[in-house]
Amino acid sequence: MSKTRFVPHLPDLIQPDEYEGDPEGRLVRFQITTTEDGIVILGDAMRSIPLEKMLHRLGADSIEQMLCG
C-alpha cells in the first residue's frame, strides 16, 4: 500500500477554465518524468479517488497529495 503525504503545493495540470467543460469530472492528466531516483508521476484529476486508485495500481511507493477546496 502506498504511503500518502500531504503537501502544501503541487503543480496544476488541469486549469480552472477546464472544469466547466467536464461536468462529470472525468478528466485526468499525467506528467511522467524520469530522474536519477526513478520515475516521478504527477497526476491531476477533477476527482481524486480514481487518480489515487490508478497510482496504487501502478505500485507507487508514496503519494504526495494536496488538499483542495
Side-chain angles (χ1 to χ4, degrees), residues 13-54:
L13 299 179
I14 299 174
Q15 301 306 312
D17 61 331
E18 295 178 279
Y19 284 78
E20 185 178 315
D22 186 13
E24 294 179 17
R26 292 197 243 178
L27 182 60
V28 177
R29 289 220 172 103
F30 289 100
Q31 175 182 309
I32 301 170
T33 308
T34 57
T35 69
E36 290 181 7
D37 297 324
I39 297 172
V40 175
I41 301 172
L42 175 64
D44 195 354
M46 301 220 185
R47 304 202 191 287
S48 65
I49 292 174
L51 176 57
E52 290 172 28
K53 287 181 179 179
M54 283 187 243

